[in-house]
Amino acid sequence: MEQGIPEAILSDTRLLQDLAEVAKDTALLNGVLMRTKEEPNSSELVTYAPFTLFPTAVPRGVFEQALAVQTQYNLLVDKISQDSEFLEEALASTADSDDFTGRLLSIYRQTTKEGRSQSVVLGLNRSDYMLDQQEGLPPALKQIEINTIAASFGGLASHTPDLHRHVLKVAGLSDLSHRILDNNPAAGLARGLAKAWELYGVERAVVMFLVEDVQRNIMDHRCVENELWSRDIPTIRRKFEDVSLGPDKRLFVDGQEVAVVYFRNGYMPENYPTEQSWATRLLMERSRAIKCPDIATHLAGTKKVQQVLARPGVLERFFPEQPQVVQQIRATFAGLYTLDQGQEGDKTVAMAMANPEQFVLKPQREGGGNNFYGSEICRVLEEARGSSQRTAYILMDKVQARASVNYLLRRGAPLQPSQCLSELGVFGVYVRQGSDMVMNECVGHLLRTKSSEHADGGVAAGVAVLDNPLLV
């Protein structure tokens, strides 16, 4: 691990076993926790959230680049959400072929036609990157996606720096611990929620976390909840079926007025099992409650919008006469290609079929584990031949990341070295009231690492684990 953990430590079996036990116990002490698979809805049985034994070396320059561009990404998402013409044009073909995107766009059209009930917009985003490390070239930061709904692990990421610092100290590497930066995205996310709650202007109103049926990752939520409670902001957890609309489009749950709906659910088709679920999403969008995200911001984070933004001249639409901002954002783009019907889409298909190992095929889905690689790309595109189904996807260059050795600590898993790849996430928060941007901040980071044998999948999907950047 270049300028990271010495090889002598990475190969010392006895020391590694001792460090692993220390690390697991420290994770429990530090609150890096998750409910178990056996009891996902009970806190009677919890374990440590999966994490790396050692922090992973990340070049300081690209790390700082990712943090520096985040406030511009916040502005970009917000500008997109206000541009109805752009959203309609960007998503038209995808909405026709992908039912989930179509249903979201239908809600957007309906609420746009009726007019907004709330002038306050709250965005809690996470922009994810990998390092493209081509032979003979310096590492380049490339965006994988931007998450505008239910961006997770800001809570647990706030507890991992001290965990890895302690492991380094026990390993005799205290001199490296200063390269792990303080990190508290939970506090930053809570600041955004608190500002939105304050602007709503009803002291007795609550912040509602909209949650899934299976809540294994509840500890990540609790970190943000507890930050809100420390500010005396009442917080509740409810599901789609629990809400109702009262007088003056106010949203209520069990007689309590809701100031902010914080979506930790609603990002996948299976989160809407019935028509009533969709009706409830529409009801919330129509309400005076501040939605995080509102439907326009949700759509701004789709893969199709990401692909359209990479087309020449599109960023300039949102940042006219700001070439430095355009360059700052565009520098993080990987190659992105349309699969719309027509000559350009046909060219993309031919390119992907000829060299599938160089690309990733992405549907309009969040949550990890949805993408296609290698021969699977050929299979999906072959099945879509002659139909419009291919427009449900985009094609992206596969980032050529360089693997490093680490140990992935999971409950019940053996201690063994893995060739690992990492993904850096950066959390952004913004609050806008009408035309006034009240808050726009980068509030922290997240590093997730997985074995290179897995092409796709996040922590919640059981593939990646939590990590920390060791800046080099």
Side-chain angles (χ1 to χ4, degrees), residues 96-116:
D96 287 342
S97 56
D98 181 71
D99 182 65
F100 183 58
T101 306
R103 296 294 296 263
L104 295 174
L105 190 59
S106 176
I107 291 174
Y108 170 72
R109 287 168 175 163
Q110 191 164 345
T111 53
T112 300
K113 184 178 180 180
E114 293 172 359
R116 294 184 61 88

Side-chain angles (χ1 to χ4, degrees), residues 314-447:
V314 175
L315 280 179
E316 285 82 354
R317 174 186 183 123
F318 299 104
F319 295 101
E321 299 180 21
Q322 293 181 271
Q324 289 183 320
V325 173
V326 169
Q327 177 53 33
Q328 189 181 9
I329 295 173
R330 187 167 284 147
T332 67
F333 286 173
L336 292 151
Y337 312 96
T338 181
L339 283 161
D340 284 354
Q341 298 285 68
Q343 187 175 359
E344 190 179 1
D346 292 345
K347 184 179 177 182
T348 299
V349 171
M351 184 173 64
M353 298 288 274
N355 295 289
E357 299 301 328
Q358 295 182 14
F359 301 101
V360 182
L361 186 67
K362 293 187 164 190
Q364 311 302 311
R365 297 291 179 269
E366 305 297 335
N370 300 299
N371 298 333
F372 297 95
Y373 300 82
S375 61
E376 283 290 288
I377 294 177
C378 298
R379 179 186 63 79
V380 173
L381 292 178
E382 191 62 43
E383 289 176 357
R385 188 185 293 275
S387 77
S388 62
Q389 190 54 41
R390 76 185 196 192
T391 62
Y393 303 87
I394 66 163
L395 192 74
M396 188 179 92
D397 284 343
K398 186 177 180 182
V399 175
Q400 301 302 313
R402 191 172 299 164
S404 61
V405 176
N406 211 324
Y407 291 78
L408 309 182
L409 303 184
R410 290 190 181 90
R411 177 174 173 245
L415 182 67
Q416 59 189 25
S418 296
Q419 289 291 327
C420 296
L421 300 173
S422 298
E423 190 168 312
L424 174 67
V426 179
F427 292 96
V429 174
Y430 66 89
V431 180
R432 176 172 54 81
Q433 186 175 33
S435 60
D436 182 20
M437 187 61 76
V438 178
M439 179 180 181
N440 181 18
E441 297 180 15
C442 170
V443 297
H445 59 271
L446 165 72
L447 195 70

Side-chain angles (χ1 to χ4, degrees), residues 1-5 52-59 63 131 164 168 179-180 402-408 420-423 447-450 465-472:
M1 193 179 294
E2 187 179 352
Q3 299 182 63
I5 309 303
T52 57
L53 179 56
F54 299 108
T56 294
V58 173
F63 176 81
L131 296 189
H164 274 139
L168 291 178
R179 294 205 237 144
I180 300 174
R402 191 172 299 164
S404 61
V405 176
N406 211 324
Y407 291 78
L408 309 182
C420 296
L421 300 173
S422 298
E423 190 168 312
L447 195 70
R448 292 167 296 166
T449 294
K450 65 185 177 185
V465 305
L466 300 172
D467 197 350
N468 274 295
L470 183 71
L471 298 185
V472 296

Side-chain angles (χ1 to χ4, degrees), residues 45 102 207 226 232 249 251 269 274 386 407 430 448 460:
L45 191 60
V207 172
N226 289 352
D232 295 323
K249 294 189 175 181
L251 195 67
T274 66
Y407 291 78
Y430 66 89
R448 292 167 296 166

Side-chain angles (χ1 to χ4, degrees), residues 6-19 407 415:
E7 286 296 327
I9 287 178
L10 289 171
S11 58
D12 186 333
T13 304
R14 178 62 184 272
L15 176 62
L16 289 167
Q17 290 172 340
D18 290 346
L19 287 175
Y407 291 78
L415 182 67

Side-chain angles (χ1 to χ4, degrees), residues 248-304:
D248 303 321
K249 294 189 175 181
R250 296 178 187 272
L251 195 67
F252 286 89
V253 173
D254 301 332
Q256 296 176 289
E257 185 171 353
V258 177
V260 181
V261 179
Y262 178 27
F263 283 83
R264 296 300 297 253
N265 188 10
Y267 54 91
M268 296 189 293
E270 49 265 42
N271 299 147
Y272 301 85
T274 66
E275 286 301 312
Q276 184 57 44
S277 305
W278 284 107
T280 302
R281 179 68 190 266
L282 175 59
L283 178 148
M284 288 189 287
E285 291 298 330
R286 284 171 160 165
S287 77
R288 289 181 58 184
I290 298 164
K291 279 72 65 177
C292 180
D294 62 20
I295 193 71
T297 306
H298 186 171
L299 290 169
T302 56
K303 306 297 187 295
K304 183 60 182 177

